[in-house]
Amino acid sequence: MKLSSYSKAIFAIISVALLVIQIYPLIWVFISSFKAPTDFSGNNPLSLPSRFSFENYLNVWNKGNLGTYFSNSLIVAVTTIVLVILFSAMAAFVIEKMRFKWSKTVLFLFLCGIMIPIQVVLIPLFIIYNKTGIINTLTSLILPQVGFALPISIYLFVSFYKYISNEIMEAAVMDGCGIYQVFWRMIFPLSRNTIVTVVIMNLIFIWNEFIFANTFIHDMKSRTIPVGLMDYIGQYGLTDWGATFAAISITTIPTMLVYFIFNKSVISGMTAGATKG
């Protein structure tokens, strides 16, 4: 019993230490966003602000084009997530429930997409987008992110659909439901936890995506937050750290809030419990 108590204490200490390591930088950035320029020039960088002010947030939103970057990121994220959910859910339904001769091969080909690095496709995509005239548009960011998000999303939906009884679908068909009604009225609503899991997993990567945005977007009006934040730090970083930290705080808060709200569904969607709908 004593050994067990010591083990629990050690695990508790390790957990708290890891939590501090993960959370402290975010807390420090958030607190620093309220500091005035004089707080960075003379005081200890780890000290609290001499006075809390929202002036930094007002400056970055009104003068730093952060509002434009934020709206562009929101458009890209929402559009990409909607398309990923629709395509992956329907593809998984066809692969797992509408069994055909090459269903396993099709699933394998989709999963091969996980092994393709993003860097490999940058040049071919740039050439294609340049010829089709969609460079410097949000479409050039949405299309590749949908493609790279589909493999793992399809796999999650397929894993969930395996545990849905075929008898339920057969009963619905006997009652007069078509295949589309079976999917939209029965299967898709049961996938709530899996949908939330796919949304959260992809939202974090889409919101923070930098490689595609830096390669395909050169117009300031079409930039998303990661690229815009890089330019903003280059413009203000040497003279106004408070504004820089305020910009970083604004960009990280949305994904953190979404994850904290839906974290239980994310955990359920990655375990067998999600198969109960």
Side-chain angles (χ1 to χ4, degrees):
M1 293 296 294
K2 290 183 179 180
L3 181 60
S4 177
S5 300
Y6 289 142
S7 299
K8 291 181 179 179
I10 292 174
F11 282 121
I13 293 173
I14 294 175
S15 299
V16 172
L18 293 175
L19 180 63
V20 171
I21 293 173
Q22 292 289 330
I23 298 300
Y24 175 74
L26 296 176
I27 296 176
W28 182 80
V29 168
F30 182 70
I31 293 176
S32 298
S33 66
F34 295 98
K35 290 183 177 182
T38 55
D39 293 330
F40 292 97
S41 59
N43 297 336
N44 187 333
L46 302 180
S47 63
L48 294 175
S50 58
R51 63 180 181 86
F52 284 85
S53 174
F54 288 94
E55 184 178 353
N56 291 326
Y57 287 91
L58 296 177
N59 289 336
V60 299
W61 192 265
N62 296 326
K63 301 179 182 180
N65 292 324
L66 196 63
T68 301
Y69 302 150
F70 192 94
S71 62
N72 289 337
S73 291
L74 188 63
I75 293 172
V76 172
V78 172
T79 306
T80 303
I81 289 296
V82 170
L83 293 177
V84 168
I85 291 296
L86 292 178
F87 293 159
S88 59
M90 290 188 291
F93 178 76
V94 172
I95 292 172
E96 181 59 31
K97 292 303 179 183
M98 299 177 63
R99 288 300 184 100
F100 53 95
K101 184 178 180 180
W102 303 103
S103 60
K104 293 184 178 180
T105 303
V106 172
L107 177 60
F108 173 76
L109 292 175
F110 273 118
L111 294 180
C112 286
I114 300 176
M115 299 180 290
I116 300 176
I118 293 177
Q119 294 81 358
V120 173
V121 302
L122 286 179
I123 296 178
L125 286 178
F126 184 87
I127 295 174
I128 294 172
Y129 291 165
N130 192 36
K131 290 183 178 180
T132 54
I134 62 175
I135 288 289
N136 282 324
T137 65
L138 298 183
T139 304
S140 64
L141 303 182
I142 295 172
L143 292 179
Q145 294 191 79
V146 170
F148 276 93
L150 281 178
I152 187 63
S153 302
I154 291 174
Y155 177 76
L156 289 173
F157 276 106
V158 167
S159 299
F160 171 75
Y161 291 156
K162 287 181 179 179
Y163 293 91
I164 296 181
S165 175
N166 292 331
E167 285 75 11
I168 298 177
M169 298 173 51
E170 294 172 358
V173 172
M174 293 181 64
D175 289 338
C177 290
I179 192 64
Y180 296 104
Q181 291 176 316
V182 170
F183 176 76
W184 289 112
R185 294 186 180 183
M186 296 181 56
I187 305 300
F188 193 72
L190 289 173
S191 311
R192 182 183 60 184
N193 286 340
T194 304
I195 292 173
V196 173
T197 302
V198 172
V199 169
I200 300 301
M201 286 181 57
N202 291 297
L203 177 63
I204 295 173
F205 290 104
I206 294 169
W207 190 263
N208 297 318
E209 199 285 319
F210 177 80
I211 297 178
F212 290 137
N214 190 49
T215 304
F216 303 140
I217 301 297
H218 307 290
D219 185 5
M220 183 176 294
K221 295 182 180 179
S222 300
R223 289 176 179 172
T224 54
I225 283 179
V227 177
L229 186 60
M230 179 187 66
D231 294 342
Y232 177 82
I233 294 174
Q235 183 178 1
Y236 294 100
L238 297 177
T239 58
D240 196 347
W241 282 106
T244 301
F245 291 137
I248 295 174
S249 298
I250 292 175
T251 60
T252 56
I253 287 175
T255 52
M256 292 177 61
L257 288 178
V258 172
Y259 181 79
F260 287 147
I261 293 173
F262 297 104
N263 68 88
K264 291 184 179 180
S265 296
V266 173
I267 295 173
S268 298
M270 293 183 175
T271 60
T275 60
K276 299 180 180 179

